[in-house]
Amino acid sequence: MLTVANVIPKPTLFDEQAVQKVRRELKLDPQHLRRLRTVLLKHRGQDEAALAELPEGAREPFAQHIALHSLSLHKRCDSQQDGATKLLFRTCTGLLIESVILRIASGRTTLCVSSQVGCAAACDFCATGKMGVAQNLTAEEILDQVVQANQLLAAEDRRIRNLVFMGMGEPFHNEQQLYHTLDLLTSAEYFNHSPRRVLVSTVGIPDAMVRFAYKFPKVNLALSLHSARQDTRERIIPLAKKYSLEQLRDALMERQKIQGTESTVMIEYLMLASLNDSPDDAAALIAWLDGLRAHVNLIPCNPIDDAPHLTGSDRETIEHFSGLLKQARLTTTIRYSLGADVAAACGQLVQEKNREIVKQLKVIQA
């Protein structure tokens, strides 16, 4: 039986009220805390180096009351094929989440973070949605994925350049914690990360997409579209039955008005054989995107055990589909998935153990 469910986690460095309370009790100069945050969050320093910014007598008492991390690193899996690393983290309740470091050949480093444990969107092609678990992560848990990944990368003289919310979860199902995360991530007092190097991916929740545009006009948005035909989209994305293609397009047009001429939406399109990869499907997509500033990202399908009925399009079909979009003057790329050999590629993030952990937690809480 899990006992961690009864543990109340310590406040973290992102809990400003708790940090200031401890600062007053220890009579710390605010400058000491600023330097600690700078070392840990901006310079990718190890915990010991960050705590060393405090007076010697205050380090241990501070660490007793304020946690530098809200997650524990459970396992690291490095791809033997490419520059991907999957990080498996454990939350204070024992649940497991995954983040993926992508070392792009150009030298840029991207981190794919999770915003939830599991996902209620339950898309047919996604292993995360098949878990039967959907619990929100706190902003501290989302941000700690960034902190620990950067600490790991510091040894390679790398740092996270781009941050994408494409891991476990539908970010707009955890809207308030997403916003708190982005506030801290882009704050000069914390990470000072450029909002233009952040991408939030959604399966499509129109009202939230518009709210997001108003609140974070410089943060990029990706829409997991996968079909511009309503009936086809409903077959693979349950939320499509609630939010129509017309509603999604209206939300993107509203976002475009809010964000101005610099606004470009990333359209994610998973290529599925005999389902959404025909010339007629390409024509439907071209028509749907008319008037929108978009970048279409065609994604080869990564197989998952829970969806044996879905097959990825072959390379020739993907290339032909891409050619049709380019002829229509749509900016189009074909994504090269990293980390497939460690189940870290798009749609493959899943932790079967979470199902059993959740059952145990329910027993404890009862």
Side-chain angles (χ1 to χ4, degrees):
M1 182 175 291
L2 296 177
T3 57
V4 289
N6 300 316
V7 174
I8 299 175
K10 286 191 293 186
T12 72
L13 199 60
F14 303 111
D15 186 335
E16 186 64 19
Q17 186 174 358
V19 168
Q20 290 304 321
K21 180 175 182 292
V22 172
R23 182 190 67 78
R24 290 190 294 269
E25 291 174 353
L26 298 179
K27 297 178 179 168
L28 289 170
D29 187 324
Q31 189 66 21
H32 288 130
L33 289 178
R34 281 194 287 271
R35 289 202 295 262
L36 184 155
R37 281 197 295 258
T38 295
V39 170
L40 186 71
L41 307 182
K42 298 177 184 176
H43 294 170
R44 303 160 293 149
Q46 299 302 313
D47 296 359
E48 297 80 6
L51 288 171
E53 295 298 326
L54 302 180
E56 187 172 354
R59 295 168 193 170
E60 186 175 344
F62 184 86
Q64 288 175 348
H65 292 91
I66 301 296
L68 298 188
H69 301 287
S70 54
L71 302 171
S72 59
L73 182 59
H74 177 69
K75 188 177 182 182
R76 169 181 174 171
C77 302
D78 292 304
S79 171
Q80 300 304 305
Q81 297 178 352
D82 47 54
T85 295
K86 181 167 71 173
L87 302 177
L88 178 58
F89 292 105
R90 189 180 295 278
T91 70
C92 67
T93 55
L95 294 169
L96 300 171
I97 63 169
E98 299 181 357
S99 307
V100 181
I101 297 172
L102 303 170
R103 298 171 182 83
I104 313 301
S106 63
R108 292 177 297 173
T109 304
T110 296
L111 180 68
C112 178
V113 298
S114 294
S115 56
Q116 294 182 301
V117 181
C119 184
C123 297
D124 197 24
F125 49 80
C126 181
T128 304
K130 303 286 188 180
M131 286 168 52
V133 178
Q135 294 189 7
N136 288 337
L137 294 177
T138 65
E140 289 87 349
E141 289 168 328
I142 299 171
L143 289 167
D144 199 27
Q145 297 169 62
V146 181
V147 173
Q148 295 199 47
N150 255 334
Q151 286 180 320
L152 183 154
L153 288 165
E156 306 172 24
D157 197 26
R158 284 178 175 264
R159 68 182 315 123
I160 295 166
R161 182 182 186 275
N162 298 317
L163 188 67
V164 296
F165 286 76
M166 291 184 174
M168 291 179 167
E170 162 54 57
F172 290 139
H173 281 166
N174 192 12
E175 196 171 350
Q176 294 310 309
Q177 292 303 311
L178 170 67
Y179 292 169
H180 188 30
T181 297
L182 293 174
D183 280 333
L184 292 171
L185 188 70
T186 57
S187 166
E189 288 294 312
Y190 289 87
F191 293 85
N192 199 29
H193 193 94
S194 170
R196 297 198 182 279
R197 293 181 178 175
V198 180
L199 176 69
V200 174
S201 176
T202 178
V203 75
I205 302 174
D207 290 347
M209 290 160 61
V210 174
R211 287 192 296 269
F212 176 67
Y214 276 111
K215 189 163 180 61
F216 297 98
K218 294 182 180 180
V219 176
N220 301 298
L221 179 73
L223 172 63
S224 291
L225 187 67
H226 308 311
S227 180
R229 297 174 181 273
Q230 185 65 30
D231 58 342
T232 301
R233 199 165 189 269
E234 288 182 11
R235 286 176 59 185
I236 55 177
I237 302 175
L239 275 177
K241 297 173 183 177
K242 183 176 182 180
Y243 304 116
S244 70
L245 282 166
E246 182 179 2
Q247 289 174 293
L248 292 182
R249 180 178 160 77
D250 288 346
L252 290 181
M253 291 298 291
E254 181 67 18
R255 173 184 178 272
Q256 194 163 279
K257 291 177 184 177
I258 295 165
Q259 296 184 301
T261 57
E262 295 183 5
S263 168
T264 298
V265 64
M266 176 73 75
I267 299 296
E268 298 173 301
Y269 198 99
L270 185 66
M271 297 296 294
L272 298 167
S274 303
L275 186 64
N276 67 353
D277 63 351
S278 71
D280 286 344
D281 289 304
L285 179 59
I286 291 166
W288 193 82
L289 290 174
D290 185 43
L292 286 169
R293 289 185 293 275
H295 182 148
V296 181
N297 199 4
L298 301 180
I299 308 171
C301 178
N302 296 302
I304 61 171
D305 293 340
D306 286 330
H309 54 288
L310 295 179
T311 305
S313 308
D314 59 40
R315 187 70 185 189
E316 183 180 355
T317 300
I318 297 175
E319 293 280 3
H320 182 62
F321 195 96
S322 173
L324 293 174
L325 300 186
K326 290 177 179 178
Q327 286 176 20
R329 298 189 177 181
L330 285 172
T331 303
T332 306
T333 56
I334 299 173
R335 181 185 296 177
Y336 174 67
S337 293
L338 302 179
D341 61 320
V342 290
C346 295
Q348 292 186 321
L349 300 188
V350 64
Q351 279 302 318
E352 300 290 345
K353 293 179 182 178
N354 281 337
R355 295 170 181 166
E356 184 60 31
I357 292 171
V358 168
K359 289 179 183 177
Q360 292 183 42
L361 289 176
K362 289 179 179 178
V363 170
I364 293 170
Q365 292 166 354

